């Protein structure tokens, strides 16, 4: 239902997009503004396969400029992006994650870094030295980088590109730092592959708001039932085939294999164990 | 210059927005697609003063739904948002930051949390226990929350709202956790005030791409000159008055007081010193 009231186009027709994202109806009552960009976000998807079409450099510069318009803690601006154009460096990065060939083949590869180094250097330039290596400095820089990265991804999607974040590069942080010549206190948060999509991709169904959005107080007393229902909604749309069950040698085969079973198995194998060592070897005390 | 080619409206007219954001020309060559949303992002601004007009609940639900369409590390979905509607809780949160009265007065106040608790609980539900309290669990949850928060902010701005992130609530993490009844391993990343803007706000000029976007390798050898020039561009647009110089009792008065002088002074007073203790007392080992 779309109608015009007071010059503003009002609509209640986000149901299709909501169902696509959450696998259940939103049951919105009342008028909602008609904002195509919100539909785009609800329908957004990860893309790992890209068309041959190159991404024009002026467009990428523009998207990166827009990305750095993201919010920044205390206006400290502690994010940096590395645009990896050199073929040799791309190949070295790609070799770190051989099961993700798109790191090497995507038209664009960027690495978004938390940058706690720049603020320290500015302190030295202005003769007000500080040490930005405590947990707060690490945290603020990491969050700044994430805000810039997400803004980049949404801007890129708005320009018709598809993206895939590559956080696994943190598992190889020493090598990444060496390849990109990162100074101390600059660390990768994630890489991002980007290009014009070659395939439609698919929408990653999200946990219901009942689980992720709390009113006044955190409340997860209905988590078990909500996750069960979510597992079944996901499974009805895309059932994980038996051969994709994770580590059956350890866990066996489940008769019903949903998102929660998959993620619970995955989380038993912690990643990033070398990341704290990497950070501590490069100036962070994290205290 | 706007023209139509191959059905796609092409334009090179982002200069005004680029200058607004960076204080210098972008000097784009070549065609760029005409994307009003990119202009909106380049012109985005923080808002701390809001009109009386309430934010309709269905709209806020829709914006939060869109926010959770953000990327998530390994599809672990480790973000939670708390929508603080209860007046008493709002006032208790506002009392923590008396110099930011908009925390109490904004039509909407949300707290975006890293949620490393849910994945652990799902592990117990599925009988594959794991401990998600190491640095990796903390980091992934924090980044997930930041990605959701930034997507919320951009979605809200697209709907005509203005936002202001409130990361200082982390300096009061114990109190925030008690007020919002956060379980162990759920921690605030930042609050967000939102509402229809009452004032135009102002654009926070950003460091030039020369400083924040690197090609192939991190390179800050021209940082000093670039920051000097940036300081003067900012000062030409909005000169910080003498009475806003930070801690003159310690640093005296600077004849030229730019962004870098202000941030260097600010950074000598570290914040968040209680945050690591807070995290360690609530299940995180951060190792």
């Amino acid at each position: 239902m779309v109608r015009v009231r007071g010059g503003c186009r009002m609509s209640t027709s986000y149901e299709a997009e909501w169902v696509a994202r959450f696998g259940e109806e939103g049951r919105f009552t009342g008028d909602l503004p008609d904002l195509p960009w919100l539909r785009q976000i609800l329908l957004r998807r990860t893309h790992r396969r890209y068309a041959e079409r190159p991404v024009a450099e002026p467009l990428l510069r523009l998207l990166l400029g827009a990305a750095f318009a993201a919010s920044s803690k205390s206006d400290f601006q502690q994010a940096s992006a590395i645009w990896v154009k050199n073929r040799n460096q791309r190949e070295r990065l790609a070799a770190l994650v051989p099961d993700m060939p798109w790191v090497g083949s995507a038209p664009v590869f960027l690495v978004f870094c938390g940058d706690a180094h720049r603020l320290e250097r500015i302190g030295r330039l202005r003769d007000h030295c500080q040490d930005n290596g405590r947990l707060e400095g690490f945290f603020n820089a990491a969050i700044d980088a994430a805000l810039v990265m997400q803004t980049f991804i949404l801007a890129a999607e708005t320009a018709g590109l598809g993206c895939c974040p590559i956080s696994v590069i943190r598992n190889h942080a020493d090598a990444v730092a060496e390849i990109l010549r990162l100074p101390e206190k600059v660390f990768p948060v994630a890489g991002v592959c980007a290009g014009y999509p070659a395939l439609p991709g698919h929408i990653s169904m999200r946990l219901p708001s009942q689980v992720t959005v709390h009113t006044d107080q955190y409340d997860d007393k209905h988590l078990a039932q909500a996750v069960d229902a979510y597992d079944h909604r996901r499974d009805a749309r895309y059932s994980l085939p038996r051969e994709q069950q994770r580590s059956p040698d350890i866990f066996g085969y489940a008769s019903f294999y949903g998102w929660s079973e998959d993620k619970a198995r995955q989380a038993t194998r912690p990643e990033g164990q070398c990341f704290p060592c990497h950070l501590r070897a490069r100036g962070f005390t994290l205290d």
Side-chain angles (χ1 to χ4, degrees), chain A:
Chain A
M1 182 181 63
V2 175
R3 61 204 163 81
V4 173
R5 196 177 65 176
C8 177
R9 205 153 158 260
M10 304 296 278
S11 160
T12 53
S13 58
Y14 289 89
E15 282 299 341
E17 293 84 1
W18 194 270
V19 169
R21 176 59 64 192
F22 295 104
E24 59 179 4
E25 292 179 2
R27 296 199 181 84
F28 288 99
T29 54
D31 287 331
L32 290 168
D34 183 22
L35 299 163
W37 194 79
L38 285 189
R39 289 197 174 77
Q40 173 192 313
I41 296 310
L42 285 166
L43 296 176
R44 67 183 294 275
R45 45 194 79 191
T46 293
H47 289 280
R48 297 184 183 87
R49 310 280 174 189
Y50 309 97
E52 296 278 318
R53 181 182 172 189
V55 179
E57 289 214 11
L59 175 61
L60 195 65
R61 277 186 56 218
L62 177 66
L63 297 173
L64 282 163
F68 280 89
S71 302
S72 166
K73 162 77 166 82
S74 297
D75 196 18
F76 280 150
Q77 306 187 53
Q78 296 191 83
S80 279
I82 321 284
W83 179 4
V84 188
K85 294 163 86 172
N86 177 281
R87 183 40 43 199
N88 178 264
Q89 281 168 277
R90 275 294 286 283
E91 282 169 10
R92 291 179 65 200
L93 291 168
L96 300 172
V97 284
D99 57 337
M100 296 183 179
W102 39 88
V103 170
S105 63
V108 172
F109 188 68
L110 303 165
V111 179
F112 289 90
C113 297
D115 188 338
H117 158 81
R118 188 163 55 231
L119 184 61
E120 264 188 26
R121 236 201 107 188
I122 287 170
R124 287 195 298 275
L125 286 169
R126 296 293 169 258
D127 213 13
H128 307 308
C129 291
Q130 43 42 54
D131 176 358
N132 199 21
R134 304 186 65 174
L135 189 77
E136 181 77 0
F138 167 70
F139 189 85
N140 286 339
I143 300 296
D144 270 13
L147 302 180
V148 168
M149 181 177 83
Q150 185 65 20
T151 305
F152 174 82
I153 291 171
L154 297 175
E157 290 171 354
T158 302
L161 300 175
C163 297
C164 178
I166 309 287
S167 47
V168 73
I169 63 167
R170 287 203 310 273
N171 296 352
H172 309 276
D174 285 343
V176 170
E178 190 261 314
I179 294 167
L180 304 179
R181 300 202 186 206
L182 304 183
E184 285 208 344
K185 293 181 186 156
V186 178
F187 56 95
V189 167
V192 169
C193 297
Y196 292 96
L199 298 172
H202 79 278
I203 293 171
S204 180
M205 194 188 288
R206 285 285 181 252
L207 285 164
S209 298
Q210 179 195 2
V211 165
T212 54
V213 179
H214 309 256
T215 303
D216 294 324
Q217 296 182 345
Y218 191 96
D219 176 5
D220 69 343
K221 62 178 173 292
H222 301 297
L223 183 71
Q225 303 93 300
V227 167
D228 276 343
Y230 169 70
D231 280 344
H232 284 88
R233 283 197 300 278
R234 274 182 81 118
D235 184 73
R237 189 176 296 170
Y238 177 69
S239 190
L240 283 166
R242 185 178 162 89
E243 62 272 19
Q244 282 184 24
Q245 292 198 17
R246 204 180 288 266
S247 307
D249 51 321
I250 300 169
F251 303 110
Y253 285 98
S255 55
F256 175 76
Y257 191 81
W259 171 85
S260 63
E261 176 70 24
D262 187 55
K263 294 300 143 189
R265 290 185 181 194
Q266 184 174 358
T268 60
R269 294 198 166 178
E271 286 185 273
Q273 284 155 302
C274 63
F275 194 48
C277 285
H278 171 81
L279 295 168
R280 288 197 171 89
R282 296 172 60 80
F284 285 105
T285 55
L286 303 179
D287 58 338

